[in-house]
Amino acid sequence: ADVLRDALSRTTASVVWDPHLRGRPPVPGARLVTPSAQEARVFVRQLDDDEGQSGDGAGLRTAARDARALVRAWQVQAVAVTLGERGALLSHGETPLLVPTPAAASGDPCGAGDRFAATAAGLLADGAFTEAAVQAAVHAATRYVAEGGARAMVTAEDQRTRRPEQPLPDGDTTADALRTAARVRTAGRTVVAAGGCFDLLHAGHVALLQAARRAGDCLIVCVNSDDSVRRRKGDGRPLVPVADRVRVLRALECVDAVAVFDEDTPERLLAELRPHIWAKGGDYARTPLPEQPLVESWGGQVLLLPYLDGRSTTGLARRAASSPVRSGGRR
């Protein structure tokens, strides 16, 4: 152990250290240290600079103070205190960043800390910023718990988490969504799917997707391809190409995977995903949905969710096009 510690202290690679109460402190200069709130409280109490303060190990103020103290005492670049269902609090020694979980997840949390640390380490090794790595790690740990934790059978390929800024090609994105749906179903959890063009993502879209995610244990978004949008909306659409639309959707915390379909309606894709819930905006309440019989054929449920009035891509595009041009040729 001492030989490994000595080697790590001299390496130029990014070191992620998951500390243990019976273990030694992290090597100075470590990129990220990932104690739980309870562990951080114990570590700080062992330091001379605890300042005699006490508090709930799960409280945000306590976690922020503990993280700041540990960054300084351990001489590391950052500490991410994991807070269970509340997410994680990242500190570089100054004002901390709270990274909340994308949704509530009930299940066995055993191993979630390991998933958090491993995900963060992989992304940092790929060149991600610490904040982005912690955000993805919170998402991965939440998904891990929701899918059954250590009891769920997950392949090594399925365990990897990609950075939102590096989206997959359409085919790989869809394949990833299919694997996610199968894995969640196998774990006995609820798969939710929602669909649309999502051209110029706006507050109405986000509210709908957040509500859909809360209806189950994972959310897969089905997106019309560029050709599909063009057939439905006209030659001037989409305003945003599908690769960018996928990239933005995958960056949302409430979205677990994105699949692209080329048809006018998503029945073929839904038949492969077989979601338990197909979520649509409340503006479809009086409109027959061609996919409803298909979803109900495997026992699925079509669910209508509230939609924010006054939000639409068409309206945004019209206002942008009619806005006056300012000096310098900028809008």
Side-chain angles (χ1 to χ4, degrees):
D2 289 338
V3 173
L4 176 60
R5 180 182 174 84
D6 181 63
L8 290 173
S9 66
R10 290 183 283 105
T11 184
T12 58
S14 296
V15 175
V16 175
W17 191 285
D18 191 14
H20 193 280
L21 292 177
R22 294 192 297 272
R24 299 183 63 181
V27 295
R31 179 81 177 272
L32 181 66
V33 185
T34 60
S36 68
Q38 291 74 21
E39 290 170 338
R41 189 87 284 269
V42 173
F43 290 135
V44 170
R45 283 172 176 159
Q46 296 171 352
L47 301 174
D48 293 335
D49 60 353
D50 191 8
E51 301 174 355
Q53 299 187 42
S54 61
D56 176 11
L60 292 179
R61 291 181 63 186
T62 299
R65 188 178 66 246
D66 290 348
R68 181 175 63 249
L70 293 175
V71 168
R72 295 170 180 173
W74 286 338
Q75 299 178 36
V76 296
Q77 295 185 37
V79 168
V81 177
T82 56
L83 303 169
E85 63 183 13
R86 300 180 75 175
L89 189 141
L90 173 65
S91 174
H92 294 277
E94 302 298 335
T95 304
L97 171 70
L98 177 64
V99 181
T101 56
S106 59
D108 184 0
C110 180
D114 294 334
R115 175 60 63 85
F116 179 94
T119 300
L123 292 174
L124 290 174
D126 287 342
F129 290 113
T130 304
E131 289 79 3
V134 170
Q135 186 176 35
V138 168
H139 196 281
T142 303
R143 183 186 303 181
Y144 171 84
V145 173
E147 293 174 357
R151 293 171 295 179
M153 298 298 293
V154 186
T155 66
E157 181 181 8
D158 288 336
Q159 289 178 7
R160 72 184 187 276
T161 301
R162 299 180 181 87
R163 285 181 289 166
E165 62 267 31
Q166 292 183 337
L168 295 167
D170 295 352
D172 290 344
T173 297
T174 301
D176 184 63
L178 292 171
R179 286 193 297 267
T180 298
R183 189 171 67 246
V184 174
R185 252 196 326 271
T186 299
R189 305 287 181 173
T190 300
V191 178
V192 182
C197 301
F198 299 103
D199 197 12
L200 290 184
L201 192 73
H202 54 71
H205 292 142
V206 174
L208 173 67
L209 295 176
Q210 289 174 330
R213 180 61 177 81
R214 289 193 292 269
D217 299 298
C218 85
L219 173 62
I220 296 172
V221 181
C222 304
V223 180
N224 298 73
S225 70
D226 290 347
D227 287 341
S228 177
V229 174
R230 196 170 295 111
R231 288 194 300 269
R232 293 189 58 192
K233 305 288 187 178
D235 289 339
R237 302 282 296 275
L239 301 169
V240 179
V242 69
D244 288 353
R245 288 185 279 130
V246 168
R247 177 175 181 172
V248 172
L249 286 165
R250 282 174 60 86
L252 295 178
E253 287 289 350
C254 59
V255 175
D256 294 279
V258 179
V260 178
F261 63 95
D262 195 48
E263 298 81 9
D264 292 344
T265 55
E267 283 100 324
R268 179 193 58 79
L269 179 57
L270 286 174
E272 296 182 80
L273 290 171
R274 297 177 67 85
H276 299 90
I277 295 173
W278 174 239
K280 299 292 290 186
D283 51 339
Y284 284 90
R286 301 178 186 276
T287 305
L289 297 175
E291 60 268 29
Q292 182 165 349
L294 175 67
V295 173
E296 293 176 348
S297 70
W298 56 73
Q301 172 70 50
V302 174
L303 190 66
L304 295 178
L305 298 172
Y307 193 84
L308 294 178
D309 290 335
R311 277 79 170 183
S312 74
T313 298
T314 301
L316 286 173
R318 186 181 298 117
R319 286 196 296 274
S322 61
S323 63
V325 178
R326 301 184 185 277
S327 61
R330 296 180 180 178
R331 293 185 173 220

